[in-house]
Amino acid sequence: MMGGPVGPGAAALAQGQPLRPLVPLANAAAEPGRFAATLVAERASVGLVEGRSTALWLYNGLFPGPLVDVREGDRVRIALENRLALDTTAHWHGLPVPPEQDGNPMDPVRPGATRVYEFDIPVGSAGTYWYHPHAHGTTAEQVSMGLAAPFIVRSAQDPLAHVPEVTMLVTGIRLDANGQVSPNSPMDFTAGRQGEQLLVNGGRLPVHAMRPGATQRWRILNATSARYLRLALDGHALTLVGTDGGLLAAPVGPLSEILVAPAQRVEILVTASTTPGARFTLRAQRHAIDTMGIGSYTTEELLTVATTTEAPAAALALPAALRPLADPGPAVATKRLVLTQSGMGMMGGFGINGRTFDMDRVDLVSSVGEVERWDIVNDTMMDHPIHIHGTQFQLAGRESRGIATPAPWAAWLDTVDVPAGTTATIRVRQDLPGKRMVHCHILEHEDAGMMAVLEVRPK
Ligand code: C2O
Ligand code: CU
Ligand code: CU
């Protein structure tokens, strides 16, 4: 039973092994409140396919990369050693780190060089983040070769601290007949990388054992290039408790499905069926991301939940409220970003306000601490998940063909889905001066130039 799109002649991935826990990045700091470590970006080989090894680019030789697990208030110092043959960076996706520490495309780490990133983790930032390269023009390639890993920030006051948790990093991989990662096709540069098989913590269709009736908190990260994950678990309802920037004000559910756009994260509560010895599939359901028929994904199986034969677990007491979620407040400035597509593919097709990315140009200017309303207008025939660096924002609502849909619940996001023909309205504030990226997180679109430079000026 294959779960997904396999290209002609592609080597078959081993599947159905137990879900692998992520390997934590060891903290080398002696003092409390400090986190220090080294990441080496390097070539490595991994056994994904029977009888062959697959060449990948990995952090510290791990697939997926190591989990950074820190607490609010920590000071983080991570050295990135580049042993690859091309420029790279480490971008701390979603975290409020100073721009010069954020692995921007204008700060490449050259082959053979080491760069130290140093930043504080503010109180209030607990949530599920990730890190990945952001070298301009090769981000899609570097992520598809394996460079992506989770970054969790914990709060001392976590209302769900008593709930056992599991982190699931979803990535995509597409192998050729020799078991090697296949390069992007011309179509991939327009539609986003297609035909990948989804992996959870590096495994294809892994099995996750749960005691019947047990409740767990799942942190799910979408680290694919372009795949929207419309998640549903057979026979189970899902309860949403967190998004990109951490917990919601209160649990939302029961939900039959949850859409996680590329780069987004969710925290969900899952209570396993009380039926012992049963199997349930977590699926990424069919989802079209364009109006041209090139970016449609069929349903793909992600993971199997297998209930054990133990007696059902007692129900966990779950809080009715999670944390206060502040309203961003009234906007004092507005911006309009129009997502544009002039042609197909790599050659200047995608832009923002009609311009393709130029790291030496400033496209947008904001002031530190000012709440702004942004209308992000999608004038193209494809959906685009739009990401802003360095902050978390709130979606106010979307509008399409005169029909307004307010955001169903307040949530902190760093990436918002803007479907074709739709305008998304957000309220956003930047608290640190410097240059921030704003871009589509379909990595092929980002590389093709659907990215703008936002300069945040001190007040
Ligand atoms: Cu996930 Cu510009 O980044
Ligand atoms: Cu980012
Ligand atoms: Cu896009």
Side-chain angles (χ1 to χ4, degrees), residues 91 93-94 387 389:
H91 167 58
H93 180 118
H387 168 51
H389 283 202

Side-chain angles (χ1 to χ4, degrees), residues 47-325:
L48 300 173
V49 162
E50 181 70 44
R52 289 196 184 84
S53 65
T54 300
L56 296 174
W57 302 347
L58 300 177
Y59 293 118
N60 298 359
L62 293 166
F63 182 63
L67 165 70
V68 178
D69 200 329
V70 299
R71 306 191 72 87
E72 289 182 347
D74 281 358
R75 177 134 188 98
V76 173
R77 189 175 195 279
I78 297 178
L80 172 69
E81 192 182 325
N82 182 6
R83 288 196 202 146
L84 301 170
L86 77 181
D87 290 354
T88 193
T89 76
H91 167 58
W92 315 103
H93 180 118
L95 284 161
V97 318
E100 69 280 5
Q101 304 298 325
D102 207 15
N104 278 332
M106 41 287 248
D107 301 316
V109 183
R110 305 288 184 205
T114 296
R115 156 81 209 241
V116 176
Y117 297 99
E118 205 157 3
F119 48 89
D120 294 312
I121 303 291
V123 170
S125 61
T128 310
Y129 304 91
W130 59 303
Y131 59 97
H132 62 78
H134 220 300
H136 188 53
T138 62
T139 296
E141 180 184 23
Q142 294 193 42
V143 171
S144 69
M145 289 300 288
L147 294 167
F151 191 123
I152 292 178
V153 176
R154 296 180 193 282
S155 158
Q157 280 100 33
D158 184 343
L160 299 174
H162 63 298
V163 183
E165 69 168 67
V166 182
T167 301
M168 300 179 181
L169 182 82
V170 181
T171 57
I173 198 163
R174 189 176 70 207
L175 300 178
D176 64 18
N178 294 317
Q180 304 308 309
V181 175
S182 62
N184 275 0
S185 70
M187 185 54 92
D188 292 337
F189 289 110
T190 297
R193 188 170 168 85
Q194 302 276 304
E196 291 193 313
Q197 289 190 275
L198 298 176
L199 306 180
V200 185
N201 296 354
R204 174 75 206 123
L205 198 48
V207 177
H208 176 53
M210 285 179 78
R211 183 170 173 183
T215 298
Q216 293 183 343
R217 173 193 202 169
W218 292 1
R219 298 175 187 261
I220 302 178
L221 300 90
N222 184 345
T224 67
S225 288
R227 177 68 148 102
Y228 282 68
L229 302 174
R230 191 159 71 87
L231 300 175
L233 175 59
D234 291 354
H236 291 74
L238 307 173
T239 300
L240 183 69
V241 291
T243 53
D244 299 342
L247 295 175
L248 303 177
V252 172
L255 300 172
S256 57
E257 59 177 56
I258 293 175
L259 181 65
V260 191
Q264 288 187 323
R265 289 82 65 206
V266 288
E267 296 182 45
I268 61 178
L269 296 180
V270 176
T271 299
S273 161
T274 52
T275 308
R279 293 166 82 88
F280 305 91
T281 303
L282 177 70
R283 299 168 199 279
Q285 303 175 100
R286 181 182 168 73
H287 189 72
I289 61 163
D290 72 339
T291 55
M292 302 169 285
I294 57 168
S296 292
Y297 292 91
T298 52
T299 296
E300 185 171 358
E301 297 173 340
L302 264 183
L303 171 137
T304 304
V305 171
T307 53
T308 64
T309 53
E310 295 160 279
L316 274 185
L318 296 169
L322 297 169
R323 66 161 171 177
L325 203 85

Side-chain angles (χ1 to χ4, degrees), residues 383-384 440 442 445 450:
D383 302 359
H384 300 284
C440 178
I442 289 180
H445 297 176
M450 190 177 256

